[in-house]
């Protein structure tokens, strides 16, 4: 499904350059649950941003299904991003002025889904994450765990094949983090591919494969 071939990322800071990834190569098969682990600053989020086409590599080739992502124009990259990926971030990244329902509806409006269908699906997804009683709440009226569940519902709105979760439990207490992990585990059982960055060894053990990143390099891989 995904193949990274010698992916590099250099951030150009004018007079200096930060080499965040050096020739990282690996594959992810459809249906896998992969954890990405490594110290702070090792390049995990950089890698996730490239996989999710939120950012472009500065070297190497990224294949997603039959597409060479690195060779595609921005517009085509955006289309693939919106149709293939669901994103879950550590800091939830909800729009503060939109209700839970409106946040979940938003990606569907980018994808051209009709209003009534958006509303129906958003209600179903919020129900699925246990928030049918909080649909009209603004993010500030929700707990952290509830906000992250809205973000998961939003990530699922366009029926993605692949969920990218960058420390999805990083800002949650253990019990609320477990709720988020349970939802991700269920999605994986239903066939969704999951790539999750985590600092937590126990969470890494839930994945079928752990990719360890150190200093922008793939340091080791563990398969279960
Ligand atoms: N936009 C940017 N401009 C310049 N340097 C950056 C940028 N984003 C990240 N970096 C640098 O690239 C390196 C990798 O950063 P990245 O965010 O990928 O690390 P990480 O593994 O996700 O760390 P953490 O566990 O703290 O989230 C770091 O040295 C960081 O300072
Ligand atoms: Mg990070």
């Amino acid at each position: 499904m995904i193949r990274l071939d010698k992916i590099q990322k250099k951030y150009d800071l004018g007079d200096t350059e930060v080499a965040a990834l050096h020739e990282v190569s690996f594959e992810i098969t459809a249906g896998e649950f992969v954890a990405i682990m490594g110290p702070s600053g090792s390049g995990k989020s950089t890698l996730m941003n490239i996989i999710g086409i939120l950012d472009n590599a500065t070297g190497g080739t990224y294949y997603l299904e039959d597409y060479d992502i690195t060779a595609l124009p921005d517009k085509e990259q955006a289309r693939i991003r919106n149709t293939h990926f669901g994103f879950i971030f550590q800091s939830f990244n909800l729009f503060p002025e939109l209700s839970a329902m409106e946040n979940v509806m938003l990606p569907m409006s980018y994808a051209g889904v009709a209003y009534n269908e958006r509303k129906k699906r958003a209600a179903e997804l919020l129900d699925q994450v246990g928030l049918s009683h909080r649909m009209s709440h603004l993010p500030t009226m929700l707990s952290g765990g509830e906000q992250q569940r809205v973000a998961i519902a939003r990530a699922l709105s366009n029926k993605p094949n692949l969920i990218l979760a960058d420390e999805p439990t990083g800002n949650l207490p253990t019990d609320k983090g477990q709720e988020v992990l349970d939802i991700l585990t269920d999605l994986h059982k239903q066939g969704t591919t999951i790539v999750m960055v985590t600092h937590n060894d126990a969470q890494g053990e839930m994945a079928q494969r752990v990719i360890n990143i150190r200093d922008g390099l793939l340091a080791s891989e563990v398969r279960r």
Side-chain angles (χ1 to χ4, degrees):
M1 176 176 222
I2 279 180
R3 183 153 69 88
L4 302 180
D5 186 23
K6 297 186 178 160
I7 288 293
Q8 296 182 31
K9 179 68 185 182
K10 292 192 173 106
Y11 290 108
D12 185 359
L13 303 178
D15 45 357
T16 54
E17 224 178 40
V18 177
L21 294 174
H22 314 270
E23 304 209 341
V24 173
S25 304
F26 61 85
E27 292 185 29
I28 296 173
T29 315
E32 264 196 292
F33 186 163
V34 177
I36 297 183
M37 302 189 74
S40 178
S42 56
K44 304 180 298 296
S45 294
T46 301
L47 185 58
M48 291 291 267
N49 289 342
I50 290 171
I51 294 174
I53 330 181
L54 294 166
D55 200 357
N56 278 302
T58 49
T61 318
Y62 170 20
Y63 300 96
L64 172 68
E65 294 166 357
D66 294 331
Y67 303 103
D68 173 356
I69 298 296
T70 29
L72 291 178
D74 290 355
K75 208 175 153 198
E76 187 65 0
Q77 288 190 347
R79 188 190 66 77
I80 294 172
R81 180 170 60 239
N82 291 332
T83 49
H84 284 66
F85 297 104
F87 296 96
I88 305 169
F89 301 95
Q90 179 175 5
S91 52
F92 323 135
N93 289 15
L94 298 174
F95 286 96
E97 73 282 11
L98 299 182
S99 69
M101 174 77 118
E102 288 161 344
N103 266 287
V104 178
M105 288 169 70
L106 195 63
M108 291 185 271
S109 69
Y110 295 143
V113 178
Y115 178 81
N116 285 337
E117 176 62 26
R118 296 205 298 267
K119 215 170 158 178
K120 180 165 164 279
R121 183 156 168 78
E124 284 167 6
L125 287 166
L126 285 166
D127 187 38
Q128 200 180 319
V129 297
L131 288 176
S132 47
H133 59 312
R134 293 285 182 269
M135 300 214 248
S136 56
H137 281 225
L138 294 173
T140 50
M141 305 167 168
L142 295 169
S143 72
E146 288 172 339
Q147 288 182 56
Q148 193 60 306
R149 283 184 280 149
V150 173
I152 292 173
R154 181 182 59 182
L156 295 175
S157 61
N158 283 332
K159 304 179 185 160
N161 301 329
L162 220 155
I163 300 268
L164 298 177
D166 193 346
E167 297 190 50
T169 66
N171 281 332
L172 298 176
T174 314
D175 55 331
K176 299 299 165 194
Q178 190 55 47
E179 288 175 9
V180 165
L181 288 170
D182 289 345
I183 296 172
L184 291 177
T185 309
D186 276 349
L187 289 167
H188 175 239
K189 283 189 190 137
Q190 291 159 30
T192 309
T193 311
I194 312 237
V195 184
M196 174 175 76
V197 172
T198 179
H199 281 287
N200 181 310
D201 289 332
Q203 290 184 16
E205 282 172 20
M206 294 173 45
Q208 297 168 307
R209 178 153 64 119
V210 178
I211 294 177
N212 289 302
I213 305 285
R214 296 256 183 296
D215 297 327
L217 288 166
L218 197 158
S220 62
E221 259 190 283
V222 181
R223 278 173 196 273
R224 286 174 225 291

